[in-house]
Amino acid sequence: MGVSDHKCLACNAKLKFEPKSQKWVCEYCGTEYTLKDFEDEKGNKKNTNTSKARNNNGYLEYHCPDCGAQIVMDENTAATECVYCGNTAIITERFEGKFEPKRVIPFKTTKEEAIEAFSSYKKGKVFMPKEFLNKNNIEKVSGVYIPFFLYDMIVDGSIDVDAVKEHSWSDSDFKYVKKDYYNAVREGTMAFEKIPTDASQKFSDDIMDSIEPFNYNDLTAFNSSYMSGFLAEKYDLDANDLLARAEGRAKQTTRDILYNDIRGYNSKKVNEFTGDVSINGVPEYVMLPVWMMNVKYEGKIYTMAMNGQTGKFIGNVPISKRKVAIAWFSITAIVALIIGIIGMCI
Ligand SMILES: [Zn+2]
Ligand SMILES: [Zn+2]
């Protein structure tokens, strides 16, 4: 199993992918590179250091090609940072064969922007404990390429709904209510393109769903050089494992669209929905960019994430009991004061 990294052709220092310029920049001499610079005319990679890794009970031990330090990683890590020298180590075998991603959306937002988003998130959260997002926590933001499968699907959907229209009027003696009962049916065929499902069990489905959508126009042919400066995982759930989840999303959307198309009633009840799903082509294996931050607070892990392409941000934060108590006390005090004032006026 090989481990590789990418080096500056001029000074051999490490290179990092720069989201703003979409180029690779040498941290030492500042030389900029494009993808073409890493390959010779035959398409072979050049100036890539490699070293052998050893497999030990699912954990991989390897020597950093840069500083020689020994690093241990789990069986799904595909790119990681050497904790000693900060170099990105890319496990080439985890991007090969069935694990070779077809395309990647390179990071468009920078670490600084992610830190800024995390910091300003803090400002808007009145009840969040002050110590939760301290500087030390915020600096642990990492850029991760997360494996996804993208599905193209067609759903033949049909919904059967009982619907009621109500009409009421009154005269001097009575109030009248007239109810008309209808049976409404809607059918439709819907085509879905690129339904994403994250393919790593390490990341919560909820969070990955929440940072959507990605703009798939930015998908570009995969090259491991894009991993420079980031972490990456390979999939541990394959396209078959995830099929039901993708189908579920397509069916739910079809159901919602058909249901919402039945308009003009006072109430609706679904009798039956059927959705026949057929899959179009082979699901595509891609890497999508996400900034992640995990914060441990009072024994619980809170995850925050930012879409590495669009900057969309989501997070769960704890609520400070003390702050809620203070707010409750203030509101109660104001109410008491108002009652007091009203009392005085009467
Ligand atoms: Zn250089
Ligand atoms: Zn190192």
Side-chain angles (χ1 to χ4, degrees), residues 13 35 51 74 88 91 140 144 150 225 230 249 265 270 307:
L35 204 53
S51 83
D74 78 22
T88 304
I91 316 303
K140 281 184 212 138
V144 189
L150 303 178
S225 305
F230 301 101
R249 294 189 72 181
Y265 299 94
V270 177
N307 184 315

Side-chain angles (χ1 to χ4, degrees), residues 64 66-69 71 82 84-87:
C64 171
D66 201 37
C67 73
I71 297 171
C82 169
Y84 300 97
C85 70
N87 209 24

Side-chain angles (χ1 to χ4, degrees), residues 126-127 319-333:
V126 185
F127 293 128
I319 285 176
S320 158
K321 288 188 188 110
R322 197 179 134 262
K323 284 194 176 180
V324 173
I326 291 171
W328 173 244
F329 177 74
S330 318
I331 291 165
T332 316

